[in-house]
PDB file of all heavy atoms in Angstrom:
ATOM      1  N   ILE A 629      -5.518  33.411 -37.403  1.00 96.00           N
ATOM      2  CA  ILE A 629      -6.103  32.097 -37.751  1.00 96.00           C
ATOM      3  C   ILE A 629      -7.493  31.990 -37.122  1.00 96.00           C
ATOM      4  O   ILE A 629      -8.470  31.628 -37.772  1.00 96.00           O
ATOM      5  CB  ILE A 629      -5.190  30.934 -37.267  1.00 96.00           C
ATOM      6  CG1 ILE A 629      -3.857  30.958 -38.009  1.00 96.00           C
ATOM      7  CG2 ILE A 629      -5.889  29.586 -37.457  1.00 96.00           C
ATOM      8  CD1 ILE A 629      -2.812  29.996 -37.460  1.00 96.00           C
ATOM      9  N   GLU A 630      -7.564  32.344 -35.860  1.00 93.00           N
ATOM     10  CA  GLU A 630      -8.865  32.221 -35.169  1.00 93.00           C
ATOM     11  C   GLU A 630      -9.934  33.138 -35.792  1.00 93.00           C
ATOM     12  O   GLU A 630     -11.090  32.756 -35.943  1.00 93.00           O
ATOM     13  CB  GLU A 630      -8.725  32.559 -33.678  1.00 93.00           C
ATOM     14  CG  GLU A 630      -9.967  32.133 -32.902  1.00 93.00           C
ATOM     15  CD  GLU A 630     -10.068  32.743 -31.519  1.00 93.00           C
ATOM     16  OE1 GLU A 630      -9.685  33.901 -31.348  1.00 93.00           O
ATOM     17  OE2 GLU A 630     -10.565  32.051 -30.621  1.00 93.00           O
ATOM     18  N   ALA A 631      -9.489  34.326 -36.187  1.00 92.00           N
ATOM     19  CA  ALA A 631     -10.438  35.298 -36.737  1.00 92.00           C
ATOM     20  C   ALA A 631     -10.830  34.989 -38.183  1.00 92.00           C
ATOM     21  O   ALA A 631     -11.714  35.632 -38.755  1.00 92.00           O
ATOM     22  CB  ALA A 631      -9.836  36.696 -36.660  1.00 92.00           C
ATOM     23  N   GLY A 632     -10.143  33.978 -38.788  1.00 92.00           N
ATOM     24  CA  GLY A 632     -10.503  33.589 -40.157  1.00 92.00           C
ATOM     25  C   GLY A 632      -9.936  34.518 -41.217  1.00 92.00           C
ATOM     26  O   GLY A 632     -10.456  34.577 -42.332  1.00 92.00           O
ATOM     27  N   VAL A 633      -8.866  35.240 -40.897  1.00 95.00           N
ATOM     28  CA  VAL A 633      -8.288  36.143 -41.901  1.00 95.00           C
ATOM     29  C   VAL A 633      -6.872  35.705 -42.325  1.00 95.00           C
ATOM     30  O   VAL A 633      -6.240  36.370 -43.141  1.00 95.00           O
ATOM     31  CB  VAL A 633      -8.250  37.615 -41.399  1.00 95.00           C
ATOM     32  CG1 VAL A 633      -9.650  38.158 -41.241  1.00 95.00           C
ATOM     33  CG2 VAL A 633      -7.461  37.739 -40.099  1.00 95.00           C
ATOM     34  N   ALA A 634      -6.392  34.586 -41.793  1.00 96.00           N
ATOM     35  CA  ALA A 634      -5.036  34.129 -42.140  1.00 96.00           C
ATOM     36  C   ALA A 634      -5.058  33.367 -43.467  1.00 96.00           C
ATOM     37  O   ALA A 634      -6.054  32.737 -43.807  1.00 96.00           O
ATOM     38  CB  ALA A 634      -4.495  33.235 -41.030  1.00 96.00           C
ATOM     39  N   GLU A 635      -3.918  33.432 -44.206  1.00 96.00           N
ATOM     40  CA  GLU A 635      -3.752  32.642 -45.435  1.00 96.00           C
ATOM     41  C   GLU A 635      -3.004  31.362 -45.058  1.00 96.00           C
ATOM     42  O   GLU A 635      -2.282  31.327 -44.069  1.00 96.00           O
ATOM     43  CB  GLU A 635      -2.924  33.421 -46.468  1.00 96.00           C
ATOM     44  CG  GLU A 635      -3.517  34.765 -46.883  1.00 96.00           C
ATOM     45  CD  GLU A 635      -4.847  34.618 -47.614  1.00 96.00           C
ATOM     46  OE1 GLU A 635      -5.071  33.569 -48.250  1.00 96.00           O
ATOM     47  OE2 GLU A 635      -5.670  35.551 -47.531  1.00 96.00           O
ATOM     48  N   MET A 636      -3.143  30.317 -45.906  1.00 96.00           N
ATOM     49  CA  MET A 636      -2.527  29.017 -45.594  1.00 96.00           C
ATOM     50  C   MET A 636      -0.997  29.125 -45.429  1.00 96.00           C
ATOM     51  O   MET A 636      -0.427  28.465 -44.568  1.00 96.00           O
ATOM     52  CB  MET A 636      -2.877  28.028 -46.700  1.00 96.00           C
ATOM     53  CG  MET A 636      -2.776  26.582 -46.280  1.00 96.00           C
ATOM     54  SD  MET A 636      -3.781  26.144 -44.836  1.00 96.00           S
ATOM     55  CE  MET A 636      -5.325  25.711 -45.605  1.00 96.00           C
ATOM     56  N   ASP A 637      -0.343  29.984 -46.246  1.00 96.00           N
ATOM     57  CA  ASP A 637       1.127  30.035 -46.142  1.00 96.00           C
ATOM     58  C   ASP A 637       1.606  30.707 -44.840  1.00 96.00           C
ATOM     59  O   ASP A 637       2.781  30.659 -44.506  1.00 96.00           O
ATOM     60  CB  ASP A 637       1.768  30.684 -47.379  1.00 96.00           C
ATOM     61  CG  ASP A 637       1.279  32.095 -47.626  1.00 96.00           C
ATOM     62  OD1 ASP A 637       0.528  32.611 -46.775  1.00 96.00           O
ATOM     63  OD2 ASP A 637       1.657  32.678 -48.664  1.00 96.00           O
ATOM     64  N   GLU A 638       0.700  31.283 -44.093  1.00 97.00           N
ATOM     65  CA  GLU A 638       1.111  31.862 -42.805  1.00 97.00           C
ATOM     66  C   GLU A 638       1.476  30.765 -41.795  1.00 97.00           C
ATOM     67  O   GLU A 638       2.159  31.019 -40.807  1.00 97.00           O
ATOM     68  CB  GLU A 638       0.011  32.770 -42.234  1.00 97.00           C
ATOM     69  CG  GLU A 638      -0.048  34.101 -42.973  1.00 97.00           C
ATOM     70  CD  GLU A 638      -1.122  35.024 -42.429  1.00 97.00           C
ATOM     71  OE1 GLU A 638      -1.089  35.372 -41.243  1.00 97.00           O
ATOM     72  OE2 GLU A 638      -2.008  35.402 -43.218  1.00 97.00           O
ATOM     73  N   LEU A 639       1.029  29.535 -42.091  1.00 97.00           N
ATOM     74  CA  LEU A 639       1.415  28.428 -41.198  1.00 97.00           C
ATOM     75  C   LEU A 639       2.918  28.187 -41.269  1.00 97.00           C
ATOM     76  O   LEU A 639       3.547  27.863 -40.261  1.00 97.00           O
ATOM     77  CB  LEU A 639       0.655  27.146 -41.569  1.00 97.00           C
ATOM     78  CG  LEU A 639      -0.824  27.101 -41.197  1.00 97.00           C
ATOM     79  CD1 LEU A 639      -1.418  25.743 -41.519  1.00 97.00           C
ATOM     80  CD2 LEU A 639      -1.000  27.402 -39.706  1.00 97.00           C
ATOM     81  N   ASN A 640       3.476  28.348 -42.485  1.00 97.00           N
ATOM     82  CA  ASN A 640       4.938  28.212 -42.612  1.00 97.00           C
ATOM     83  C   ASN A 640       5.647  29.337 -41.869  1.00 97.00           C
ATOM     84  O   ASN A 640       6.663  29.116 -41.203  1.00 97.00           O
ATOM     85  CB  ASN A 640       5.364  28.256 -44.092  1.00 97.00           C
ATOM     86  CG  ASN A 640       4.889  27.030 -44.823  1.00 97.00           C
ATOM     87  OD1 ASN A 640       4.708  25.972 -44.218  1.00 97.00           O
ATOM     88  ND2 ASN A 640       4.656  27.175 -46.126  1.00 97.00           N
ATOM     89  N   VAL A 641       5.087  30.530 -41.971  1.00 97.00           N
ATOM     90  CA  VAL A 641       5.687  31.685 -41.272  1.00 97.00           C
ATOM     91  C   VAL A 641       5.642  31.429 -39.762  1.00 97.00           C
ATOM     92  O   VAL A 641       6.613  31.664 -39.039  1.00 97.00           O
ATOM     93  CB  VAL A 641       4.928  32.995 -41.635  1.00 97.00           C
ATOM     94  CG1 VAL A 641       5.530  34.182 -40.899  1.00 97.00           C
ATOM     95  CG2 VAL A 641       4.940  33.214 -43.136  1.00 97.00           C
ATOM     96  N   LEU A 642       4.507  30.905 -39.316  1.00 98.00           N
ATOM     97  CA  LEU A 642       4.352  30.606 -37.882  1.00 98.00           C
ATOM     98  C   LEU A 642       5.393  29.585 -37.433  1.00 98.00           C
ATOM     99  O   LEU A 642       6.085  29.772 -36.429  1.00 98.00           O
ATOM    100  CB  LEU A 642       2.925  30.077 -37.632  1.00 98.00           C
ATOM    101  CG  LEU A 642       2.562  29.703 -36.205  1.00 98.00           C
ATOM    102  CD1 LEU A 642       2.688  30.894 -35.264  1.00 98.00           C
ATOM    103  CD2 LEU A 642       1.132  29.147 -36.132  1.00 98.00           C
ATOM    104  N   ASP A 643       5.516  28.523 -38.228  1.00 98.00           N
ATOM    105  CA  ASP A 643       6.457  27.449 -37.913  1.00 98.00           C
ATOM    106  C   ASP A 643       7.900  27.984 -37.881  1.00 98.00           C
ATOM    107  O   ASP A 643       8.650  27.730 -36.928  1.00 98.00           O
ATOM    108  CB  ASP A 643       6.315  26.353 -38.986  1.00 98.00           C
ATOM    109  CG  ASP A 643       6.931  25.054 -38.518  1.00 98.00           C
ATOM    110  OD1 ASP A 643       7.099  24.891 -37.299  1.00 98.00           O
ATOM    111  OD2 ASP A 643       7.259  24.206 -39.374  1.00 98.00           O
ATOM    112  N   GLU A 644       8.266  28.753 -38.909  1.00 97.00           N
ATOM    113  CA  GLU A 644       9.640  29.301 -38.989  1.00 97.00           C
ATOM    114  C   GLU A 644       9.926  30.244 -37.813  1.00 97.00           C
ATOM    115  O   GLU A 644      11.013  30.237 -37.248  1.00 97.00           O
ATOM    116  CB  GLU A 644       9.819  30.086 -40.295  1.00 97.00           C
ATOM    117  CG  GLU A 644      10.126  29.198 -41.488  1.00 97.00           C
ATOM    118  CD  GLU A 644       9.985  29.950 -42.802  1.00 97.00           C
ATOM    119  OE1 GLU A 644      10.031  31.197 -42.795  1.00 97.00           O
ATOM    120  OE2 GLU A 644       9.806  29.272 -43.836  1.00 97.00           O
ATOM    121  N   ASN A 645       8.945  31.040 -37.473  1.00 97.00           N
ATOM    122  CA  ASN A 645       9.144  31.967 -36.359  1.00 97.00           C
ATOM    123  C   ASN A 645       9.310  31.245 -35.037  1.00 97.00           C
ATOM    124  O   ASN A 645      10.163  31.626 -34.219  1.00 97.00           O
ATOM    125  CB  ASN A 645       7.983  32.954 -36.281  1.00 97.00           C
ATOM    126  CG  ASN A 645       8.280  34.183 -37.094  1.00 97.00           C
ATOM    127  OD1 ASN A 645       8.982  35.079 -36.635  1.00 97.00           O
ATOM    128  ND2 ASN A 645       7.813  34.199 -38.325  1.00 97.00           N
TER     129      ASN A 645
END
Side-chain angles (χ1 to χ4, degrees):
I629 295 171
E630 193 195 37
V633 293
E635 301 295 333
M636 202 56 88
D637 58 6
E638 285 180 59
L639 287 185
N640 292 333
V641 179
L642 180 60
D643 197 20
E644 278 167 20
N645 269 279

